[in-house]
Amino acid sequence: MDKRLLTIQDISCVGQCSLTVALPVISACGIETAILPSSVLSNHTAGYSGWTFHDLTEDMPKILDRWLSEKIDFDAFYTGYVSKAQIPHILEIMKKNARPGALRIVDPVMADNGKMYPGFDQDFPKEMKKLCDGADVIMPNLTEASFLLGQKYIASGYDKSYIEKNCRDLHALGAKNVVLTGVSFAEKELGIAVYDGNKIEYYFNERQPVSSHGTGDLYASVLAGSLLRGKTLFEAASLGADVVVEAIKLTAGDKDHWYGVKFEKALPYLIGRLN
């Protein structure tokens, strides 16, 4: 039986992020991709003057009931931007619609650059920890790690001991594996730390001169799709970083394309690396 992944996150109709990235990227990995939208936005919330927002929490239990009636199940679950009220529903879906050995991949989307995203309150990290507990993989950035661990955010000037303590403390939340993103020990590098409960491995790329919207969603989607294709966690995590860099380079120089990266043009690169 072919593998089927369910991704649960918002749809920003325009802006190359969330489900409009996850669905094509994971499909390009050769994995059947089902979706459960957590909300619908006209466009993403960074850089635009405004947006529409429609919450879909009330639909989740109805969809669960239908899936149970139809005996629909999944080999993996990958969560992105969700609300506090949706987490109990998501945990129930992960429990009731899982095939044997199903993976739980959690991107604890809530913050970046030291600040919580609009719409999240200070209690949100406490709820997100419930989703991280028991997850096969969590992949917070440094800001999200700080909120999950209830500690002060440090943007730079840290050392390996700081990163490795973060990884161990995140693992202690109940996650089986931790991928900490946005790690840097030198000005010209940016990378990840991967911790499996025993060893920590690092992977770095050359830091790009721009910061782009939607790259976290692209990264998480490549990691999820690659894992389902049989890559090891470190291989999947490293490939995610390489695809993000490729997409940034393919977007560079187009000043009108400020709202995201042209990840579609990087899909042949992703497929080639997977094969």
Side-chain angles (χ1 to χ4, degrees):
M1 182 185 293
D2 288 343
K3 290 182 178 178
R4 177 195 287 156
L5 176 147
L6 171 67
T7 181
I8 307 170
Q9 51 187 305
D10 70 289
I11 295 179
S12 290
C13 298
V14 172
Q16 291 176 305
C17 67
S18 56
L19 278 178
T20 61
V21 170
L23 180 56
V25 168
I26 299 168
S27 297
C29 292
I31 304 301
E32 180 184 347
T33 311
I35 65 170
L36 179 56
S38 58
S39 54
V40 180
L41 293 84
S42 55
N43 43 272
H44 68 60
T45 60
Y48 291 100
S49 60
W51 53 87
T52 66
F53 177 87
H54 180 66
D55 183 83
L56 294 171
T57 306
E58 291 185 1
D59 293 89
M60 287 187 170
K62 302 172 191 174
I63 291 170
L64 170 60
D65 287 344
R66 192 67 255 153
W67 283 350
L68 291 173
S69 296
E70 300 291 346
K71 295 181 172 55
I72 293 170
D73 52 14
F74 307 96
D75 295 284
F77 304 91
Y78 151 43
T79 66
Y81 185 104
V82 299
S83 72
K84 186 163 62 175
Q86 292 168 346
I87 289 174
H89 298 304
I90 294 168
L91 288 169
E92 190 175 8
I93 289 167
M94 286 178 166
K95 180 181 178 181
K96 293 183 176 178
N97 296 95
R99 290 176 180 171
L103 295 176
R104 298 185 181 190
I105 303 163
V106 175
D107 184 3
V109 178
M110 59 177 148
D112 202 3
N113 298 315
K115 295 181 180 180
M116 201 81 87
Y117 291 143
F120 290 131
D121 60 27
Q122 296 304 309
D123 288 335
F124 185 76
K126 183 173 69 176
E127 294 303 308
M128 179 53 72
K129 281 196 253 186
K130 297 177 182 176
L131 207 50
C132 293
D133 186 8
D136 291 276
V137 183
I138 62 171
M139 49 185 123
N141 60 38
L142 288 175
T143 300
E144 289 157 348
S146 297
F147 279 113
L148 285 169
L149 298 174
Q151 65 188 25
K152 182 181 177 182
Y153 168 67
I154 300 175
S156 60
Y158 48 76
D159 57 13
K160 280 190 175 182
S161 64
Y162 172 78
I163 293 299
E164 291 173 10
K165 184 179 186 303
N166 270 263
C167 288
R168 289 192 296 269
D169 290 347
L170 289 163
H171 185 265
L173 296 178
K176 297 172 187 174
N177 298 276
V178 175
V179 179
L180 187 58
T181 65
V183 174
S184 178
F185 301 118
E187 185 179 347
K188 293 185 177 181
E189 70 178 19
L190 190 64
I192 55 170
V194 181
Y195 181 56
D196 63 2
N198 294 306
K199 68 180 184 298
I200 295 179
E201 296 179 275
Y202 294 96
Y203 186 80
F204 294 98
N205 289 96
E206 182 180 357
R207 186 187 290 270
Q208 299 303 300
V210 295
S211 178
S212 304
H213 303 302
T215 51
D217 299 325
L218 175 58
Y219 178 81
S221 300
V222 172
L223 187 152
S226 302
L227 271 183
L228 269 286
R229 273 291 296 268
K231 297 293 185 185
T232 67
L233 178 58
F234 186 75
E235 289 170 342
S238 303
L239 178 56
D242 290 345
V243 171
V244 168
V245 170
E246 182 74 7
I248 291 172
K249 289 179 177 178
L250 289 167
T251 312
D254 188 343
K255 294 181 180 179
D256 292 327
H257 206 97
W258 54 267
Y259 49 85
V261 290
K262 300 178 182 181
F263 74 89
E264 300 91 345
K265 296 182 184 300
L267 292 180
Y269 172 81
L270 167 62
I271 294 167
R273 287 284 302 274
L274 284 170
N275 292 332

